[in-house]
Amino acid sequence: MRREATKTGGPSPTAQSPSLHSSTHRIVTLSIPDLAITVAYFSIPVQIVVGLCKFPRLTRRATPRVVTLLILFALFIFLCGAGHLIRCIGKADTALFRTVNVLTAVISLVTSVYLLPFIPNLLERLLKRDSDKLSDDGDSLEAMEDGEATEDKKKEGGIPRRPSTGFLHRISRSESMPIRRIQDFIQRKRAANTDADMSGEQSDPEPIAETFEHTSIIFADVSNFTEWSSKHTPSEVFTLLESLFFEFDKLANRFKVFKLSTVGDCYIAATGVPYPLKDEEHAVVLSQFAEGCRFKANEVMERLSKQPGMDGVEQLKIRIGIHSGPVTAGVLRGHKARFDLFGDTINTAQRIESTGEAGRIHLSRETAELLERSGKESWLVPREESVSAKGKGSLKTFWLEVGKDFRLPARASFSVEQEIADIDFV
């Protein structure tokens, strides 16, 4: 009877067990493709979070908007992976799956809103790179207009690429050829690092010179340097100058400032020449650079004061002067050929520096007006007394105090020989 009941009374426990085991087997097992997709989903947010934590200096230098965008993107990918995993284990019809889908949609919308301001800069960068490729394929403005490629020129060594950034104003067809020739000379000289051949006649008798209407010039001088250097050895003096100018050079690369020269303890640089900048940007960039130089100078002095033989260096301060205006720029060819600037703007910038105060940044009225037009009025502090400058009479000047608005560019990858992405000072 028991045997018959077993046969006729419905499924036995042993008959039910295969379905239970198979159901459990489906829950805990994923196919290899599904497993690979799940791992790929979760690896991306893990890499982003690890990168933000592993490189805190880069994270601090990035703008808050960029960090927020990275976090939102990591969360979006994580939710996509969670949804895929839930669907693979057979829970697609549950409230958990629907909740994950809603969260994914919300995060996707928020990420899109944060990403929107980056789109114009990205498109501009791509368009500029395409424009640079066209301009580099030609050896003249006529070649650029005709769209003629000069592959032979590239094979011969050609002209190195000029930098293209959001700040650099590309030369238009209406601008003169000397500007392009000046830039090409600087590129060739830096690439070859050689002087002109003095054995024969000039290959091109036409001078390479042009007027740059919108430039800013900076003179940065170490106050009381002469007195300090007279009490120290040549090695100690050059330790100071090399340490200081090395930091200034790094800042110049980061801010896209063109270093002109050093004369003794004076560092001279410019913006707007030989690569023109848009609108008042040359004054804004050089002001940011000057604030960075002041900060780095104090840092260098403090560090060197702890070294043997460098006593008194902590009392030295940097004195900076900036003036804006037109300059005549060109290439003085021959032995030790060099790029040089001339004009009243250079002389005035030097006088603005010499009439300043140690540890402060002194601005001419012309530079201050450019900063005002660019919305940087908060950076300006009017000097109470007028300045009497030789050959200029009485001048109304300003002190620069960037304060909390000061930002170092996000990357230090700029050089005249290579192209970089736009730098955001916001």
Side-chain angles (χ1 to χ4, degrees), residues 55-128:
F55 304 102
R57 293 181 61 186
L58 294 178
T59 303
R60 288 194 299 268
R61 284 161 54 186
T63 61
R65 182 179 290 272
V66 172
V67 176
T68 303
L69 182 62
L70 286 174
I71 295 174
L72 287 173
F73 180 71
L75 184 58
F76 172 74
I77 298 298
F78 177 82
L79 290 174
C80 289
H84 176 76
L85 181 61
I86 294 172
R87 185 170 58 252
C88 290
I89 63 177
K91 299 292 185 178
D93 56 347
T94 62
L96 177 62
F97 182 73
R98 290 190 290 272
T99 302
V100 170
N101 277 345
V102 172
L103 288 175
T104 304
V106 172
I107 296 299
S108 175
L109 180 61
V110 175
T111 304
S112 301
V113 172
Y114 265 83
L115 184 62
L116 191 60
F118 291 89
I119 299 300
N121 288 336
L122 180 61
L123 293 176
E124 181 183 2
R125 188 182 307 168
L126 294 174
L127 290 174
K128 284 183 179 295

Side-chain angles (χ1 to χ4, degrees), residues 22 48 132 167 170 236 279-280 301 308:
S22 63
I48 293 176
D132 292 341
F167 292 134
R170 307 305 301 169
E236 293 165 351
D279 304 325
E280 300 85 22
M301 303 305 180

Side-chain angles (χ1 to χ4, degrees), residues 58-288:
L58 294 178
T59 303
R60 288 194 299 268
R61 284 161 54 186
T63 61
R65 182 179 290 272
V66 172
V67 176
T68 303
L69 182 62
L70 286 174
I71 295 174
L72 287 173
F73 180 71
L75 184 58
F76 172 74
I77 298 298
F78 177 82
L79 290 174
C80 289
H84 176 76
L85 181 61
I86 294 172
R87 185 170 58 252
C88 290
I89 63 177
K91 299 292 185 178
D93 56 347
T94 62
L96 177 62
F97 182 73
R98 290 190 290 272
T99 302
V100 170
N101 277 345
V102 172
L103 288 175
T104 304
V106 172
I107 296 299
S108 175
L109 180 61
V110 175
T111 304
S112 301
V113 172
Y114 265 83
L115 184 62
L116 191 60
F118 291 89
I119 299 300
N121 288 336
L122 180 61
L123 293 176
E124 181 183 2
R125 188 182 307 168
L126 294 174
L127 290 174
K128 284 183 179 295
R129 287 181 177 177
D130 291 340
S131 175
D132 292 341
K133 291 179 181 178
L134 290 176
S135 64
D136 290 331
D137 283 341
D139 192 36
S140 64
L141 294 179
E142 289 77 10
M144 291 167 59
E145 292 176 354
D146 298 337
E148 299 175 354
T150 56
E151 295 298 329
D152 293 339
K153 188 70 177 177
K154 290 184 177 180
K155 293 178 181 179
E156 294 172 0
I159 300 171
R161 289 176 63 90
R162 291 180 296 140
S164 73
T165 73
F167 292 134
L168 297 185
H169 170 62
R170 307 305 301 169
I171 295 178
S172 65
R173 294 179 176 85
S174 61
E175 289 178 325
S176 61
M177 279 298 295
I179 295 180
R180 177 64 183 270
R181 294 174 66 200
I182 290 171
Q183 296 170 352
D184 290 345
F185 168 82
I186 294 172
Q187 301 291 359
R188 290 194 185 99
K189 185 171 178 61
R190 293 197 177 193
N193 196 25
T194 56
D195 295 319
D197 182 10
M198 302 296 294
S199 59
E201 298 294 331
Q202 286 181 303
S203 58
D204 186 0
E206 183 180 356
I208 305 176
E210 185 57 283
T211 298
F212 291 78
E213 295 291 342
H214 308 289
T215 70
S216 290
I217 310 297
I218 182 173
F219 279 70
D221 187 83
V222 180
S223 180
N224 296 325
F225 173 80
T226 303
E227 179 183 355
W228 181 87
S229 62
S230 65
K231 302 176 182 178
H232 291 78
T233 66
S235 177
E236 293 165 351
V237 171
F238 272 78
T239 295
L240 169 61
L241 293 179
E242 285 186 346
S243 301
L244 189 63
F245 292 163
F246 178 74
E247 295 294 337
F248 288 3
D249 286 344
K250 290 197 298 184
L251 284 173
N253 282 342
R254 297 179 72 169
F255 281 102
K256 298 171 291 190
V257 170
F258 189 84
K259 177 183 177 181
L260 294 171
S261 66
T262 59
V263 180
D265 61 312
C266 186
Y267 189 97
I268 310 171
T271 50
V273 56
Y275 303 101
L277 300 181
K278 296 185 294 186
D279 304 325
E280 300 85 22
E281 202 62 53
H282 57 91
V284 176
V285 172
L286 201 60
S287 297
Q288 289 269 19

Side-chain angles (χ1 to χ4, degrees), residues 286-344:
L286 201 60
S287 297
Q288 289 269 19
F289 171 72
E291 189 70 37
C293 288
R294 178 165 63 173
F295 173 80
K296 285 295 182 182
N298 294 335
E299 194 177 73
V300 168
M301 303 305 180
E302 182 179 357
R303 185 177 72 247
L304 292 179
S305 65
K306 301 176 184 178
Q307 297 184 12
M310 301 298 289
D311 53 288
V313 72
E314 70 278 0
Q315 299 177 4
L316 299 180
K317 299 291 183 181
I318 199 74
R319 185 177 60 225
I320 298 175
I322 301 177
H323 177 60
S324 302
V327 298
T328 298
V331 178
L332 293 175
R333 292 171 293 189
H335 187 56
K336 300 294 182 183
R338 67 186 185 276
F339 173 75
D340 212 342
L341 304 183
F342 304 92
D344 185 65

